[in-house]
Amino acid sequence: MMELQKEYEDIVENLDHESFDSLMEGLEKLLDIIEGNSSKENVGDEFIEKVTKKATEVRNEAALLLKKQREGIIGMADLFGISLSELGITLEDPPDVE
């Protein structure tokens, strides 16, 4: 259990909150912890709930970052007169962030 706690702390500590790739990599690692240990008796439900909650937070943070990046791209395209269709972007709303 101590190894899992250390692994969890390392993942959370190494997240780069400005990088979508870092957030997604961290999310994958958190999900691996959940999937690989949720049925083990030596891993408490509280720990799995903690990791699940953090995974949800990271997912939402990544979605928000992606939405902000999208808005920035749309703003720059508008500023420079670039058609959104040239960039493969539509103005349909992206999925809501929880």
Side-chain angles (χ1 to χ4, degrees):
M1 178 65 181
M2 291 301 282
E3 285 182 30
L4 282 177
Q5 182 67 33
K6 175 75 172 114
E7 182 179 352
Y8 167 80
E9 290 170 2
D10 287 346
I11 292 167
V12 172
E13 184 177 308
N14 290 315
L15 286 174
D16 176 356
H17 298 274
E18 301 298 319
S19 167
F20 180 76
D21 289 340
S22 174
L23 291 171
M24 292 309 296
E25 182 179 328
L27 177 59
E28 288 176 16
K29 290 177 180 179
L30 291 170
L31 292 175
D32 286 345
I33 289 175
I34 295 166
E35 291 172 0
N37 298 286
S38 60
S39 63
K40 293 184 179 175
E41 291 182 17
N42 62 336
V43 179
D45 289 341
E46 288 178 19
F47 178 73
I48 295 299
E49 287 176 27
K50 175 180 171 181
V51 177
T52 301
K53 181 179 178 188
K54 180 53 80 174
T56 300
E57 290 172 9
V58 171
R59 181 202 67 201
N60 289 340
E61 187 176 347
L64 185 59
L65 182 61
L66 198 57
K67 184 176 181 180
K68 286 180 182 178
Q69 288 176 347
R70 180 182 185 275
E71 290 169 356
I73 291 169
I74 290 171
M76 292 300 286
D78 186 48
L79 181 66
F80 291 103
I82 299 170
S83 167
L84 294 179
S85 63
E86 287 181 51
L87 301 174
I89 298 174
T90 64
L91 285 178
E92 293 174 9
D93 289 331
D96 287 333
V97 177
E98 293 178 11

